Amino acid sequence: GYSIIGMLKKMNIPYETSLSTPNDFKKLAAGRVDIICAIEDVGDGLINLYPDKYKNVEKILPSLKNKPYYLMLSKQFSGSNPDLAELLWDTLAEVRDSEELQQIKLKY
């Protein structure tokens, strides 16, 4: 169900799906596959969490695809709470780039 599947199909790149990114990393480390596509934060987290296990895994840049995700606020909410809406956006920007978030991501 990952969105990258459509891109791989269009490029005629053979692929297989799996149940999870940790399963993909296990296959990669065991030499059962040569390459995997993973959400960057999840892949980075696994590499950082298990550096010995994945010491031979190389992250290839640039990313295959980047997708901008965002928070949507209704016009009604933004109109009724303009200061709060702005505070939400500003806080999300700060949190997104914080070291604290990077540490939290390692748990997942």
Side-chain angles (χ1 to χ4, degrees), residues 92-104:
L92 282 173
E94 289 175 23
V95 170
R96 180 189 62 229
D97 298 328
S98 72
E99 180 61 32
E100 183 180 3
L101 180 61
Q102 303 312 312
Q103 294 303 314
I104 290 169

Side-chain angles (χ1 to χ4, degrees), residues 29-42:
R32 292 175 41 210
V33 296
D34 294 321
I35 191 167
I36 62 172
C37 296
I39 296 172
E40 189 170 15
D41 288 340
V42 177

Side-chain angles (χ1 to χ4, degrees), residues 13-31:
I13 295 174
Y15 66 91
E16 63 180 61
T17 59
S18 72
L19 298 176
S20 69
T21 303
N23 283 346
D24 293 337
F25 268 76
K26 288 175 186 174
K27 289 181 195 177
L28 186 64

